[in-house]
Amino acid sequence: MKIVSVSLAAILLFFGSILGGCASMDAHVTPVYTVEPGKKSPLSTIPSLAVSIQVEDQRNQFELDRVGNKKNGYGQNMAKVIPDKAPADILRDALKAEFEANNHKVVAPEVSQADALVKVGLKRFWSEATIHFFDIEMVATLETDIGILNGTGQDKLSSKPLTSTFRDSRQYAGEGAFEDSLKGALLEYVRTFSRDPAVLDALKASSTRK
Amino acid sequence: MAWSNCFWLLTLRTPFLFIVGALLTGCVATTGTKATMSGTDLAQIKKAGVFVESPHQISVRVARDNMTNTGAVLFGLVGAAVEAGYKSSKDSGHADTLLSAVGNFDPAHESAVALRDRFAAVHVFQSVEIVASDNRRAAESAGFDALFQQTIEEWGLRLCGGEDRVRVELDVHMRLVTLPEGAVKWERDELMIDGVCRPISEFQTDPEVLRSSLKSAIETLAGRTVNEIAFP
């Protein structure tokens, strides 16, 4: 019986050390969006445009150096989740990839020949783990305000908040969980952007004014 | 070592397998597209029915999204449970104050109309009609090839910044099943947060703000959903 107890304690200690991980060490994540080869979105139905994308980081000052917090079982912050690339760049690159995969050309904002200017104010890019009784829920959000302007001028065709949320349920949430959930939110954001009726209408209007 | 002395290994097998099993279960995404349709599947559907249900009243998530964890830190699991209960009750109070503003607004009906109109505008199917039930046999005998089913699991307002600023939230489960076999050809869960962040008092005092925000979110969701099906 004593052997059983000792062995059980050893096994629990072993798994406890895995599950505990390094909760007090900062996590580094690289959430990127990858276009699925051959997949087209409704953006492909719009005649080819030269698009400029401007992303401005407008996140809360307390979240500027991180995209999440690692927490202990009581919900106290233990360490930061730090992106290896600036979130504004991550978002701009994701939108650029989506436009290019759908036959549009992305040009620098200073280029005067742009047919449309997509201005994005990044409000939040955040991932959070909530511990429930049976599982750990990861929730990631990407919140923005977007404006679509005709050419590089001030003629605004559409302006609206655009938000995506990604949730998943896990038994174990290590550093990979934060990266996966942020990737999920980014993927959902790009899908939302490229399928949103107001965004599509604004870009169509840009193409007719060319 | 005699075999009988290794009995403890067998005794430990169950908890060991349980722990390993739990770790290997991995993760299950609770939002996003679970099943996508091919163009061929889509082309086979000529007439589709739209059925939307919304089993719950309006909900507000303000206090629950503002958990402090003070209870958990001071009193452990019991403290966390007490705090969760208190916050849940506070949110129910907020939701009750919105009931009169909601009036006879029916999210299921609004969503069904928006989906029908969007499907028709994009010509995803030759014919689309709203149906009163999700009974597959009845739909099949009425000549439908497929049923688009949407369940609005939660609808209302959700915290978006500060202490009491909220915006519209729609938590929906959607699927498209072919008839008569009932095969799920497309499935998606979506937590949609939409609209401008406003103090909750604006939604409470002006019913039109609440209704128009809900209607706008429902119409946007319908547009995105139809585009999602048309462009898997």
Side-chain angles (χ1 to χ4, degrees):
Chain A
M1 196 62 202
K2 193 179 174 187
I3 297 174
V4 172
S5 310
V6 169
S7 305
L8 188 59
I11 288 175
L12 287 175
L13 190 67
F14 172 69
F15 282 109
S17 65
I18 293 176
L19 293 170
C22 301
S24 56
M25 287 172 69
D26 288 344
H28 288 265
V29 294
T30 315
V32 287
Y33 169 71
T34 317
V35 177
E36 275 186 72
K39 288 258 178 175
K40 296 284 180 195
S41 78
L43 285 177
S44 65
T45 60
I46 300 167
S48 184
L49 294 168
V51 182
S52 283
I53 303 169
Q54 274 183 355
V55 182
E56 194 182 323
D57 197 342
Q58 299 171 354
R59 290 177 299 150
N60 180 321
Q61 58 168 321
F62 304 110
E63 296 178 0
L64 283 176
D65 62 342
R66 64 190 80 184
V67 287
N69 285 320
K70 288 166 85 176
K71 293 183 176 183
N72 65 12
Y74 295 110
Q76 292 168 306
N77 295 342
M78 301 297 287
K80 292 183 252 185
V81 179
I82 301 169
D84 287 336
K85 196 171 167 187
D89 293 344
I90 293 172
L91 181 54
R92 195 198 55 238
D93 291 350
L95 291 174
K96 182 174 182 277
E98 184 68 7
F99 272 112
E100 288 176 346
N102 287 283
N103 313 323
H104 300 285
K105 192 176 159 193
V106 177
V107 296
E110 52 276 7
V111 174
S112 56
Q113 293 91 347
D115 303 313
L117 172 62
V118 178
K119 285 181 95 167
V120 184
L122 175 60
K123 301 285 183 189
R124 197 158 203 235
F125 191 34
W126 194 255
S127 173
E128 208 156 67
T130 309
I131 300 168
H132 299 301
F133 198 78
F134 290 110
D135 69 338
I136 299 171
E137 187 183 47
M138 296 298 303
V139 182
T141 4
L142 205 168
E143 293 181 25
T144 63
D145 278 344
I146 59 163
I148 298 177
L149 290 85
N150 189 39
T152 49
Q154 297 302 308
D155 186 8
K156 197 170 267 189
L157 300 169
S158 175
S159 174
K160 64 181 295 181
L162 201 70
T163 299
S164 73
T165 307
F166 179 82
R167 278 188 309 207
D168 67 8
S169 164
R170 294 167 173 262
Q171 267 64 52
Y172 164 67
E175 292 190 11
F178 286 97
E179 184 165 305
D180 289 347
S181 64
L182 289 163
K183 262 187 200 172
L186 188 62
L187 173 75
E188 282 296 314
Y189 182 87
V190 175
R191 287 187 83 93
T192 300
F193 176 88
S194 59
R195 285 161 178 79
D196 188 275
V199 169
L200 295 169
D201 287 347
L203 291 168
K204 275 178 194 154
S206 278
S207 75
T208 54
R209 291 185 192 193
K210 263 201 321 188
Chain B
M1 187 188 284
W3 173 244
S4 58
N5 289 346
C6 294
F7 177 73
W8 62 274
L9 275 175
L10 291 174
T11 315
L12 284 179
R13 196 173 58 180
T14 308
F16 182 80
L17 288 176
F18 179 79
I19 294 170
V20 171
L23 284 173
L24 293 181
T25 311
C27 67
V28 182
T30 51
T31 53
T33 305
K34 310 284 172 58
T36 53
M37 281 178 93
S38 67
T40 324
D41 285 337
L42 201 57
Q44 283 171 351
I45 301 170
K46 307 290 178 210
K47 186 177 177 185
V50 173
F51 172 75
V52 182
E53 60 182 344
S54 173
H56 306 293
Q57 283 190 331
I58 190 166
S59 130
V60 175
R61 275 185 175 271
V62 174
R64 279 174 294 172
D65 282 0
N66 240 339
M67 292 285 281
T68 61
N69 293 310
T70 312
V73 172
L74 294 177
F75 305 106
L77 273 177
V78 176
V82 169
E83 186 182 356
Y86 167 71
K87 302 252 165 160
S88 180
S89 150
K90 211 171 167 187
D91 279 346
S92 297
H94 280 308
D96 289 344
T97 62
L98 287 170
L99 287 176
S100 61
V102 170
N104 58 0
F105 183 88
D106 180 359
H109 174 72
E110 297 288 342
S111 185
V113 170
L115 283 162
R116 180 197 61 195
D117 293 350
R118 273 283 164 181
F119 274 124
V122 181
H123 305 293
V124 179
F125 310 117
Q126 285 177 10
S127 163
V128 188
E129 286 174 26
I130 297 171
V131 293
S133 91
D134 59 351
N135 185 305
R136 291 208 305 267
R137 192 166 293 176
E140 190 203 352
S141 57
F144 291 102
D145 305 312
L147 264 184
F148 178 86
Q149 302 168 321
Q150 184 187 64
T151 305
I152 305 175
E153 313 271 9
E154 192 169 270
W155 61 284
L157 303 174
R158 194 179 188 118
L159 190 74
C160 58
E163 285 294 306
D164 70 339
R165 292 172 73 82
V166 290
R167 61 179 152 189
V168 170
E169 170 215 26
L170 296 169
D171 193 350
V172 296
H173 174 71
M174 301 173 278
R175 60 186 202 159
L176 185 75
V177 296
T178 48
L179 300 174
E181 68 273 25
V184 178
K185 295 289 181 183
W186 179 89
E187 188 172 19
R188 182 172 167 83
D189 285 293
E190 181 146 351
L191 174 60
M192 185 200 188
I193 314 282
D194 189 71
V196 179
C197 275
R198 300 169 193 272
I200 192 167
S201 55
E202 281 188 29
F203 290 102
Q204 287 164 332
T205 52
D206 188 348
E208 201 40 48
V209 171
L210 179 64
R211 288 183 206 184
S212 61
S213 303
L214 287 166
K215 194 174 164 71
S216 163
I218 284 170
E219 284 172 353
T220 302
L221 178 64
R224 286 182 194 164
T225 302
V226 170
N227 282 334
E228 185 75 36
I229 291 173
F231 291 87

